[in-house]
PDB file of all heavy atoms in Angstrom:
ATOM      1  N   GLY A1458     -18.760  15.681 -21.143  1.00 91.00           N
ATOM      2  CA  GLY A1458     -19.626  15.544 -22.350  1.00 91.00           C
ATOM      3  C   GLY A1458     -21.007  16.097 -22.125  1.00 91.00           C
ATOM      4  O   GLY A1458     -21.971  15.594 -22.646  1.00 91.00           O
ATOM      5  N   LEU A1459     -21.153  17.038 -21.220  1.00 95.00           N
ATOM      6  CA  LEU A1459     -22.429  17.617 -20.852  1.00 95.00           C
ATOM      7  C   LEU A1459     -22.969  18.944 -21.520  1.00 95.00           C
ATOM      8  O   LEU A1459     -24.009  19.446 -21.226  1.00 95.00           O
ATOM      9  CB  LEU A1459     -22.602  17.737 -19.385  1.00 95.00           C
ATOM     10  CG  LEU A1459     -22.492  16.388 -18.447  1.00 95.00           C
ATOM     11  CD1 LEU A1459     -22.281  16.661 -17.033  1.00 95.00           C
ATOM     12  CD2 LEU A1459     -23.671  15.588 -18.795  1.00 95.00           C
ATOM     13  N   LEU A1460     -22.020  19.436 -22.335  1.00 96.00           N
ATOM     14  CA  LEU A1460     -22.354  20.792 -23.013  1.00 96.00           C
ATOM     15  C   LEU A1460     -23.733  20.703 -23.701  1.00 96.00           C
ATOM     16  O   LEU A1460     -24.481  21.753 -23.537  1.00 96.00           O
ATOM     17  CB  LEU A1460     -21.235  21.091 -24.028  1.00 96.00           C
ATOM     18  CG  LEU A1460     -20.153  21.879 -23.341  1.00 96.00           C
ATOM     19  CD1 LEU A1460     -18.875  21.922 -24.340  1.00 96.00           C
ATOM     20  CD2 LEU A1460     -20.485  23.141 -22.811  1.00 96.00           C
ATOM     21  N   PRO A1461     -24.160  19.605 -24.413  1.00 96.00           N
ATOM     22  CA  PRO A1461     -25.433  19.789 -25.116  1.00 96.00           C
ATOM     23  C   PRO A1461     -26.601  19.706 -24.108  1.00 96.00           C
ATOM     24  O   PRO A1461     -27.746  20.130 -24.602  1.00 96.00           O
ATOM     25  CB  PRO A1461     -25.449  18.391 -25.818  1.00 96.00           C
ATOM     26  CG  PRO A1461     -24.030  17.873 -25.893  1.00 96.00           C
ATOM     27  CD  PRO A1461     -23.339  18.367 -24.774  1.00 96.00           C
ATOM     28  N   TYR A1462     -26.425  19.465 -22.868  1.00 97.00           N
ATOM     29  CA  TYR A1462     -27.491  19.374 -21.847  1.00 97.00           C
ATOM     30  C   TYR A1462     -27.298  20.567 -20.838  1.00 97.00           C
ATOM     31  O   TYR A1462     -28.058  20.597 -19.805  1.00 97.00           O
ATOM     32  CB  TYR A1462     -27.455  18.048 -21.072  1.00 97.00           C
ATOM     33  CG  TYR A1462     -27.277  16.968 -22.110  1.00 97.00           C
ATOM     34  CD1 TYR A1462     -26.011  16.296 -22.266  1.00 97.00           C
ATOM     35  CD2 TYR A1462     -28.325  16.492 -22.893  1.00 97.00           C
ATOM     36  CE1 TYR A1462     -25.815  15.349 -23.204  1.00 97.00           C
ATOM     37  CE2 TYR A1462     -28.160  15.396 -23.807  1.00 97.00           C
ATOM     38  CZ  TYR A1462     -26.909  14.818 -23.964  1.00 97.00           C
ATOM     39  OH  TYR A1462     -26.702  13.750 -24.775  1.00 97.00           O
ATOM     40  N   ALA A1463     -26.489  21.519 -21.133  1.00 96.00           N
ATOM     41  CA  ALA A1463     -26.061  22.557 -20.090  1.00 96.00           C
ATOM     42  C   ALA A1463     -27.287  23.250 -19.606  1.00 96.00           C
ATOM     43  O   ALA A1463     -27.423  23.628 -18.407  1.00 96.00           O
ATOM     44  CB  ALA A1463     -25.062  23.409 -20.689  1.00 96.00           C
ATOM     45  N   ASP A1464     -28.229  23.642 -20.508  1.00 96.00           N
ATOM     46  CA  ASP A1464     -29.387  24.441 -20.141  1.00 96.00           C
ATOM     47  C   ASP A1464     -30.760  23.645 -20.000  1.00 96.00           C
ATOM     48  O   ASP A1464     -31.842  24.176 -20.000  1.00 96.00           O
ATOM     49  CB  ASP A1464     -29.475  25.684 -21.176  1.00 96.00           C
ATOM     50  CG  ASP A1464     -28.271  26.417 -21.211  1.00 96.00           C
ATOM     51  OD1 ASP A1464     -27.844  26.912 -20.066  1.00 96.00           O
ATOM     52  OD2 ASP A1464     -27.709  26.708 -22.330  1.00 96.00           O
ATOM     53  N   LEU A1465     -30.638  22.334 -19.937  1.00 96.00           N
ATOM     54  CA  LEU A1465     -31.724  21.492 -19.675  1.00 96.00           C
ATOM     55  C   LEU A1465     -31.913  21.120 -18.233  1.00 96.00           C
ATOM     56  O   LEU A1465     -30.974  20.986 -17.544  1.00 96.00           O
ATOM     57  CB  LEU A1465     -31.678  20.198 -20.548  1.00 96.00           C
ATOM     58  CG  LEU A1465     -31.670  20.425 -22.134  1.00 96.00           C
ATOM     59  CD1 LEU A1465     -31.381  19.024 -22.836  1.00 96.00           C
ATOM     60  CD2 LEU A1465     -32.971  21.084 -22.635  1.00 96.00           C
ATOM     61  N   PRO A1466     -33.165  20.839 -17.889  1.00 96.00           N
ATOM     62  CA  PRO A1466     -33.350  20.379 -16.502  1.00 96.00           C
ATOM     63  C   PRO A1466     -32.833  19.000 -16.341  1.00 96.00           C
ATOM     64  O   PRO A1466     -33.273  18.050 -17.164  1.00 96.00           O
ATOM     65  CB  PRO A1466     -34.873  20.435 -16.254  1.00 96.00           C
ATOM     66  CG  PRO A1466     -35.349  21.266 -17.402  1.00 96.00           C
ATOM     67  CD  PRO A1466     -34.339  21.186 -18.614  1.00 96.00           C
TER      68      PRO A1466
END
Side-chain angles (χ1 to χ4, degrees):
L1459 294 171
L1460 277 171
Y1462 316 100
D1464 299 312
L1465 294 177

